[in-house]
Amino acid sequence: MTIDNEQLTHPRTITFVTGTRAEFGLMVPVLRAIQAHPRLRLQVVATGMHLDRAHGRSIDSIRAAGFDVAATIPWKPAGADQTELARQTALASAKLADTYAKLNSDIVLVVGDRVEAFAAASAAHLSGRLVAHVHGGDRALGQVDDALRHAITKLAHLHFPATQDSADRIARLGEDAWRIKLVGSPGIDGITREALPFDVLWPTTLVLCRRRYALFLLHPTRADDAAEYARARQLLRTCVATGFEEVVCIYPNNDPGGAGIIRAIDEAEHDARSSVRTVPNWGRPAFLGLLRDAAVLVGNSSSGIIEAASFGTPVIDVGDRQKGRLRGENVTTVPFRQSAIRAALRKIWNGGSPLRYSRKNLYGKGGTGLAIARHLANVPMTEKWLRKLIAY
């Protein structure tokens, strides 16, 4: 598909494919900027966890945030079966190709490193559509995340890295400099304004008091429910023993091994002696409010690396899921070893006077959504952009 910009008399259709509540929340500033741009038309395609009742069916949150869902792509949960994960990825890619044709997508927009984004990018690239990728060039070990992120980079035609390090890495992957637009992370656009104030947050979440609770968000790193259960149970017990008045848990993503983490959370919550509470799925404003007012975020979520710094919230990043990702002074990285976790938590809790950090964020200063929308509206959809040749 080749379109000369001068012949473009209708709004350019931007199809955003989303598979998880976290990536959707991260991209809300971009989606609103696209909606507001006179030469762009937004389509949201939902798949993955958004359709899974076990993870809160967050497609309802997409609609509640004011976005229409143009299409849904079924994605059967794979559990710990990696063969099934590969099969579902292939099936989704085929269905996405058909969806782009029906929606007449001009540009397919994806973010990050998940299998849903990989399926979306591969279907778009092979069907001759321009692929725009947000948060390319980052490093994060995950399960297969690092490989998928860089595979998406090679499929993408337009890159929106969050940091100069990531922009440089994309260039070293052989991408032309004119394809790379350093814009910062959309996750910090208007982040302090978007977070619910405590007087609104409290009736929704019933957290007892600011900076008296630990926020727990752990994702699987192994396709082994039993191993993930054991790790999550150990981490929860250490949090409870530290002295926080509450440990507020959010369910993990649907990567293989996640069922073990959910089992550990549910068991802890139903223990009458425990201070653990769970909500499977919160909207982003509530999540940001919880992140702002937590004494600490414990786990291995990218929100601890990217968003938490904007609030000065301490983070205990456990294990190697985020290995390689640029991080600020508010992040303490520890192995899955009880003594190291206990020491880090006690230092942050500080005998009941939790530490705080400056609000300096390495991932930008805002304005990312507007910058991305502007580039999407202006990118020349010509053969030069659609046909790629490695730069060296």
Side-chain angles (χ1 to χ4, degrees):
M1 178 176 60
T2 303
I3 300 175
D4 189 306
N5 278 10
E6 294 180 0
Q7 298 175 353
L8 190 65
T9 57
H10 59 84
R12 182 174 285 177
T13 299
I14 310 299
T15 303
F16 172 57
V17 182
T18 174
T20 74
R21 67 190 179 216
E23 70 178 19
F24 171 76
L26 184 83
M27 289 292 286
V28 164
V30 179
L31 304 184
R32 297 209 188 285
I34 292 170
Q35 279 184 325
H37 199 288
R39 293 195 287 119
L40 299 176
R41 182 167 70 94
L42 176 67
Q43 300 169 328
V44 176
V45 174
T47 186
M49 286 175 59
H50 289 305
L51 312 181
D52 186 356
R53 293 190 183 280
H55 287 85
R57 189 175 161 79
S58 50
I59 189 173
D60 298 329
S61 299
I62 296 175
R63 292 173 173 138
F67 298 97
D68 293 330
V69 177
T72 59
I73 305 297
W75 194 298
K76 179 183 174 182
D81 186 345
Q82 290 180 287
T83 300
E84 182 62 25
L85 176 64
R87 183 180 298 113
Q88 289 300 314
T89 304
L91 291 171
S93 184
K95 291 170 184 173
L96 282 161
D98 290 338
T99 299
Y100 301 151
K102 291 176 183 177
L103 295 177
N104 197 26
S105 306
D106 292 318
I107 299 176
V108 173
L109 177 64
V110 297
V111 58
D113 55 14
R114 289 191 49 83
V115 289
E116 299 92 344
F118 175 74
S122 58
H125 187 104
L126 291 173
S127 60
R129 301 174 197 280
L130 193 144
V131 178
H133 184 207
V134 178
H135 262 292
D138 292 357
R139 297 176 71 213
L141 183 59
Q143 291 194 23
V144 293
D145 302 23
D146 200 60
L148 289 188
R149 187 188 307 269
H150 304 315
I152 295 168
T153 289
K154 297 309 298 179
L155 293 168
H157 306 89
L158 179 58
H159 308 287
F160 296 121
T163 68
Q164 186 62 58
D165 281 356
S166 293
D168 293 343
R169 196 169 291 116
I170 291 171
R172 291 199 298 274
L173 285 169
E175 296 298 293
D176 296 299
W178 43 267
R179 296 184 184 274
I180 305 169
K181 313 297 181 182
L182 177 57
V183 294
S185 174
I188 63 173
D189 270 19
I191 190 171
T192 55
R193 294 192 306 273
E194 188 180 357
L196 288 183
F198 188 77
D199 60 351
V200 178
L201 183 68
W202 179 82
T204 304
T205 63
L206 299 180
V207 292
L208 295 177
C209 190
R210 291 185 182 95
R211 300 183 187 177
R212 310 303 299 169
Y213 61 90
L215 185 59
F216 180 96
L217 181 49
L218 184 70
H219 297 301
T221 57
R222 298 171 60 185
D224 185 333
D225 287 341
E228 293 296 342
Y229 167 77
R231 286 180 168 184
R233 184 176 64 170
Q234 171 192 320
L235 187 56
L236 280 167
R237 288 180 173 178
T238 307
C239 288
V240 169
T242 299
F244 302 104
E245 293 179 13
E246 289 181 298
V247 179
V248 180
C249 299
I250 298 176
Y251 276 1
N253 63 29
N254 61 346
D255 284 347
I261 297 174
I262 292 174
R263 176 186 163 204
I265 291 172
D266 288 348
E267 285 183 1
E269 184 178 28
H270 290 104
D271 184 341
R273 301 164 297 174
S274 173
S275 58
V276 173
R277 285 200 305 106
T278 307
V279 173
N281 181 49
W282 268 309
R284 183 169 171 83
F287 171 72
L288 291 176
L290 286 168
L291 181 59
R292 176 198 60 219
D293 292 332
V296 63
L297 173 65
V298 183
N300 58 11
S301 168
S302 62
S303 60
I305 307 297
I306 298 172
E307 286 101 325
S310 292
F311 300 119
T313 302
V315 175
I316 306 298
D317 176 46
V318 186
D320 60 7
R321 183 172 187 265
Q322 299 299 333
K323 183 178 180 180
R325 202 187 280 272
L326 195 66
R327 59 200 63 208
E329 64 176 1
N330 64 311
V331 180
T332 301
T333 301
V334 296
F336 266 104
R337 191 171 64 244
Q338 191 169 18
S339 59
I341 296 167
R342 184 189 302 116
L345 284 170
R346 286 179 176 174
K347 179 179 178 181
I348 295 299
W349 182 234
N350 193 31
S353 300
L355 301 182
R356 300 301 284 186
Y357 291 88
S358 70
R359 296 185 174 191
K360 180 180 179 181
N361 198 313
L362 302 175
Y363 285 86
K365 299 179 180 179
T368 298
L370 291 173
I372 289 177
R374 184 177 68 252
H375 287 302
L376 291 174
N378 294 328
V379 58
M381 294 177 64
T382 59
E383 288 293 313
K384 176 182 177 180
W385 278 83
L386 287 166
R387 298 181 67 191
K388 295 185 66 177
L389 181 67
I390 196 166
Y392 56 83

